[in-house]
Amino acid sequence: MSVLEELKPYVIGLDLGGTNSVFGIVDSRGEIKATTAIKTQAYTNVADYVNASLEALNIIIEQVGGIGTIKAMGIGAPNGNYYNGTIEFAPNLIWGHDGVVPLADMFSKGLGGIPVALTNDANAAAIGEMTYGVARGLKNFIVITLGTGVGSGIVVNGQVIYGSDGFAGELGHVIVKREGGRSCGCGRHGCLETYCSATGVARSAREFLENTTTPSVLRDLKPENITSLDVSLAAEKGDQLALDVYAFTGKMLGEACADFAAFSSPEAFIFFGGLTKAGDLLMKPLKKAYDENVLKIFKDKAKFLISGLEGSSAAVLGASAVGWDL
C-alpha cells in the first residue's frame, strides 16, 4: 500500500434507490465506518438532491477525519452508465426520468474533486459480491437482484460486462413470455421482471386467486393489497395457493437462468434481494427447472448461491467497491 493510500483509507459508497439514498464510508476490509441517508424523492431538482446529499455526507466525513481520508466515491444507481458517470432516463427518479444526469461529476465537484464512479445498481451488487461476498475467487458469474424489479450484473473473465454503451446486462428485461405477457414498466410485455420480482410474485398471487378455486388465506386479503411477503408467509404455513405461486415463480426464473447459461457459462448464479428470503420455496423449483432446461454441456456446472450480504449495507458495500477500483 502506498503512503497516499494509507493517508486515504476510505471510500464513500452510495446506494441510490428510488425511495432512499444510503451513504456509507467504507474501509478496504469492507467495514462500514459511518452511515447516513436522505430521501431520494424529497427533491425534484437534481442540484437540490446533490446539495442535500453533500450536507449529510460532510457530517460523516468529518467523523472519519475529513475529506483528506477519502480516496474516492462509488455510486450504485438505477439506469447508471459506468462509462459516462451518468444516470439516464431513470423512470423511478423524479429528477432523473427525463434526461441524462451527470451525477458522478456533480458529486466529484461537490467533494473537492475526488474521483467518483457510477454504475448500475445490479452491477454494483456484482462487484460487491466479487470484492466482499460469496463471489470472491470467482471469475465468471451472474448476480440476479430480486427486489421491486429484477436486475443483473454479469461478470466474465473477472470483468463486469458493460457493452458498447454501458447498459449491457438487463436480464430482467429479457422477454420470457411472448404471447399474452404481462405489461412491464419498460413499455414492453412479458419481461422476466414482471414474473420474478417481488411485485411479480404479488401479481401471480392475484392471478392465481382469480383463475383458481384453491383455498387460501390470501383470499381474506384485498387483492390489490397483497405483497410478496404475504405470499411468503402463507407459503411457509403450507398454504397451497401460495406454494403454487412460488413454484411458478421459481420455474420461470430457472428456465430463464438455463438460457442465460448459454451466454456466459457462469460458475455460479448469485441471487440478491428481498425475494431470496423465501429460501427453498423459490430455490427448489428454480434448480429443478434449470436442470430440466439447461443445455447438456452446461449441466451440473453452475452453483446456485444466495448473497450473504444483507440489505442496504450490501448495496453500500457494492457501491464502495466501485470506488475502490478507481
Side-chain angles (χ1 to χ4, degrees):
M1 181 179 288
S2 70
V3 173
L4 183 61
E5 288 174 320
E6 289 178 358
L7 293 173
K8 296 189 174 185
Y10 306 120
V11 298
I12 299 167
L14 164 57
D15 169 32
L16 199 168
T19 303
N20 297 307
S21 290
V22 182
F23 301 84
I25 296 180
V26 184
D27 69 15
S28 60
R29 295 182 298 276
E31 293 183 13
I32 299 176
K33 296 298 185 180
T35 62
T36 190
I38 66 170
K39 292 292 184 183
T40 308
Q41 302 292 51
Y43 309 93
T44 57
N45 180 283
V46 68
D48 292 338
Y49 167 78
V50 172
N51 286 337
S53 296
L54 293 171
E55 285 183 20
L57 263 176
N58 284 332
I59 295 171
I60 60 172
I61 288 172
E62 288 306 312
Q63 291 175 11
V64 298
I67 193 66
T69 67
I70 306 297
K71 175 180 182 288
M73 178 178 183
I75 303 171
N79 289 57
N81 188 323
Y82 177 78
Y83 291 153
N84 301 325
T86 52
I87 293 176
E88 303 184 16
F89 302 97
N92 296 323
L93 298 178
I94 294 173
W95 43 261
H97 58 62
D98 287 331
V100 177
V101 178
L103 197 68
D105 186 59
M106 295 175 76
F107 269 104
S108 179
K109 288 176 179 175
L111 291 167
I114 69 168
V116 178
L118 180 153
T119 191
N120 178 275
D121 41 11
N123 288 336
I127 295 168
E129 292 294 344
M130 191 161 43
T131 307
Y132 306 116
V134 296
R136 279 179 292 186
L138 300 183
K139 297 292 185 182
N140 296 275
F141 62 92
I142 297 174
V143 169
I144 297 179
T145 61
L146 303 171
T148 305
V150 172
S152 61
I154 304 169
V155 174
V156 175
N157 297 336
Q159 295 185 320
V160 176
I161 299 299
Y162 288 111
S164 63
D165 60 358
F167 288 114
E170 287 290 349
L171 298 182
H173 295 287
V174 169
I175 293 175
V176 294
K177 189 171 183 181
R178 291 280 170 189
E179 300 297 326
R182 295 174 181 173
S183 61
C184 183
C186 74
R188 303 197 303 166
H189 290 79
C191 293
L192 181 67
E193 177 171 294
T194 66
Y195 294 94
C196 297
S197 61
T199 50
V201 166
R203 287 173 81 169
S204 295
R206 288 190 282 272
E207 287 183 8
F208 279 45
L209 288 168
E210 183 177 346
N211 298 327
T212 75
T213 58
T214 306
S216 174
V217 295
L218 297 174
R219 295 190 184 277
D220 298 332
L221 305 175
K222 289 184 178 180
E224 64 272 19
N225 293 336
I226 291 173
T227 67
S228 63
L229 178 59
D230 295 322
V231 182
S232 181
L233 291 174
E236 287 173 0
K237 295 176 182 176
D239 186 280
Q240 189 56 54
L241 186 139
L243 290 170
D244 291 345
V245 169
Y246 270 105
F248 171 76
T249 304
K251 181 175 184 291
M252 296 286 281
L253 188 53
E255 289 173 352
C257 287
D259 286 339
F260 302 157
F263 163 68
S264 63
S265 185
E267 299 166 81
F269 290 92
I270 299 168
F271 299 93
F272 177 102
L275 206 59
T276 62
K277 290 183 173 63
D280 283 345
L281 293 173
L282 179 70
M283 297 304 291
K284 281 187 175 180
L286 189 163
K287 292 175 184 176
K288 182 174 183 292
Y290 180 87
D291 289 340
E292 289 173 351
N293 289 277
V294 73
L295 197 61
K296 192 172 183 179
I297 57 173
F298 301 120
K299 196 171 179 66
D300 299 323
K301 289 183 178 178
K303 299 175 184 177
F304 290 80
L305 306 172
I306 292 178
S307 171
L309 304 177
E310 290 290 334
S312 61
S313 64
V316 168
L317 287 173
S320 75
V322 179
W324 282 117
D325 281 344
L326 292 174

